Amino acid sequence: MKMKITKRQCFWSAAAVLYVLFIFSNSMKNADLSSADSGAVLRLVQQVLAAGGVDGTIITEHVIRKTAHFTEYAALGILLCLCFQTYVLPLHSRVLSQVLAGFLVPFADETIQLFVAGRSGQISDVWLDCAGVAFGTILFAAAAWIVSRTGAKKRDKNYKIVLQYDGSRYDGWQKQGNTGNTIQGKLEGILLKLTGRPVEVHGSGRTDAGVHALAQTANFHADTGMTEDQIRAYFNQYLPEDIAVLSVEKVQDKFHSRLNAVQKTYLYRIEMGPKKDVFERKYCYGLGKQLSADRMKEAAACVLGEHDFKSFCGNKKMKKSTVRTISDITIEKEGTKLLIRYTGNGFLYHMVRILTGTLIEIGLEERSPQEMKEILLKLDRQAAGFTAPPEGLFLERVMYEDRE
């Protein structure tokens, strides 16, 4: 996607260029004009000091000249920060740009003086000017840090994103201490580059390792200075090919992708044919056996509504409520595949995969459809069927109230 140049980028870029030209114009003055300017400033400073009862003769034209150079370049350092922060660049690229500009401008400035009558370029002045740029940069960074500590939360905007991903090679959604190979970790790494500070991404649900998403929803708070389209483009520029951000939009500060979700739909795909399609092998469970959809539908009807789904929870140490509501389960054949969709207000750890494994056993006539009611009542994971493998599972949709 082609990035648009914003008004802020035009303004600060023009300001930086004009200021550099101002610096160069001062260097193009011959020795007499330069000394006259320095002398005028020197006399003014000496008068001010004399008025305060201080001997102004301790201040020389050399001191005035060097102090002016340092101050001039400190201002340039601040201006460069203001300019580069408007561009869609990773933090390390901004720092590199700042360092290069902070050296090249002083170097060019002193080089110009080699060709001006009565002036001379000195390497010591290059380092003095670079020190000024560094000082201005440090001042800007310190001010930005103070502001971020005191007012960042007020400036941060809440962004809702919808993304899709192929979970085949990832260790799930949630970031973990022992691996950085997670969807959440990838997103937060990019936001760190963009904003220069840690940003937490909240997902609507924690998909397991190997599970895919057609439309996962997440949100994060940040102050980027970018439009929603620019943020989406930035994500997709740095994300790997198996993760894509589909949309970005500003939402109310109180919006939370998980807490405000009212329903989710999961899709499970089963290949009943003798062999999976080569190009879909990562995206369906290769059962290789025919299933009775009618028997599975009869069993699925038993779990509709509000129930305690403890028997279908893969977390044996679960202490929170295991009561959930499933509003709809559809089972349909599509060629040699069987597609099962589950819609509910929430799902427990491995719940969809355990439900699927149990329905498969019923579809294979290894269990009767009536057993589903008994499994619910037993509240025992051992009573339910096997946990279907992750590759057939997709988070298909997350629903919110209209006001969200």
Side-chain angles (χ1 to χ4, degrees), residues 296-368:
M296 296 171 72
K297 289 178 182 178
E298 182 182 349
C302 297
V303 297
L304 293 178
E306 183 179 270
H307 300 283
D308 188 336
F309 285 93
K310 188 173 183 180
S311 293
F312 298 94
C313 178
N315 183 1
K316 296 179 180 179
K317 299 180 180 179
M318 182 74 170
K319 295 181 180 179
K320 295 181 180 180
S321 173
T322 49
V323 175
R324 297 291 186 273
T325 300
I326 296 182
S327 57
D328 189 37
I329 300 177
T330 63
I331 300 173
E332 58 182 341
K333 289 186 177 181
E334 187 178 89
T336 59
K337 296 181 179 64
L338 188 73
L339 310 182
I340 309 175
R341 284 183 171 86
Y342 303 85
T343 299
N345 65 354
F347 296 89
L348 303 168
Y349 181 62
H350 284 172
M351 178 174 162
V352 173
R353 292 166 58 189
I354 298 171
L355 279 168
T356 301
T358 307
L359 288 175
I360 288 174
E361 291 177 1
I362 291 171
L364 291 173
E365 300 186 11
E366 295 174 359
R367 293 175 182 261
S368 68

Side-chain angles (χ1 to χ4, degrees), residues 203-362:
S204 67
R206 301 170 181 175
T207 52
D208 301 326
V211 174
H212 319 293
L214 296 172
Q216 166 74 286
T217 301
N219 75 288
F220 62 89
H221 291 80
D223 179 27
T224 66
M226 297 166 57
T227 66
E228 291 94 320
D229 284 344
Q230 287 176 326
I231 295 173
R232 178 172 62 85
Y234 189 90
F235 268 124
N236 290 330
Q237 180 180 355
Y238 293 102
L239 282 169
E241 291 185 345
D242 48 9
I243 306 175
V245 172
L246 304 178
S247 66
V248 178
E249 64 174 306
K250 292 178 186 175
V251 290
Q252 297 177 2
D253 287 342
K254 65 180 181 179
F255 173 81
H256 191 287
S257 59
R258 178 175 59 83
L259 300 178
N260 294 135
V262 293
Q263 283 197 323
K264 298 175 187 175
T265 297
Y266 280 92
L267 165 67
Y268 199 94
R269 306 174 77 241
I270 304 168
E271 175 58 74
M272 298 183 293
K275 188 173 179 62
K276 291 193 285 186
D277 184 292
V278 171
F279 299 104
E280 291 193 351
R281 65 190 186 281
K282 297 179 181 178
Y283 313 113
C284 62
Y285 169 39
L287 178 65
K289 299 177 182 179
Q290 291 299 309
L291 293 166
S292 170
D294 291 337
R295 288 171 59 88
M296 296 171 72
K297 289 178 182 178
E298 182 182 349
C302 297
V303 297
L304 293 178
E306 183 179 270
H307 300 283
D308 188 336
F309 285 93
K310 188 173 183 180
S311 293
F312 298 94
C313 178
N315 183 1
K316 296 179 180 179
K317 299 180 180 179
M318 182 74 170
K319 295 181 180 179
K320 295 181 180 180
S321 173
T322 49
V323 175
R324 297 291 186 273
T325 300
I326 296 182
S327 57
D328 189 37
I329 300 177
T330 63
I331 300 173
E332 58 182 341
K333 289 186 177 181
E334 187 178 89
T336 59
K337 296 181 179 64
L338 188 73
L339 310 182
I340 309 175
R341 284 183 171 86
Y342 303 85
T343 299
N345 65 354
F347 296 89
L348 303 168
Y349 181 62
H350 284 172
M351 178 174 162
V352 173
R353 292 166 58 189
I354 298 171
L355 279 168
T356 301
T358 307
L359 288 175
I360 288 174
E361 291 177 1
I362 291 171

Side-chain angles (χ1 to χ4, degrees), residues 16-30 34 69 72-73 76 80 100-116 119 126 129 133:
V17 170
L18 289 174
Y19 190 75
V20 170
L21 292 176
F22 167 74
I23 292 174
F24 289 168
S25 69
N26 286 334
S27 296
M28 291 178 184
K29 293 179 180 179
N30 61 40
S34 180
H69 261 260
E72 187 177 53
Y73 276 92
L76 176 63
L80 288 173
L100 286 174
F103 173 76
L104 292 176
V105 174
F107 183 81
D109 187 23
E110 293 301 317
T111 302
I112 289 172
Q113 294 180 45
L114 293 174
F115 301 95
V116 178
R119 304 289 296 272
V126 173
D129 296 343
V133 173

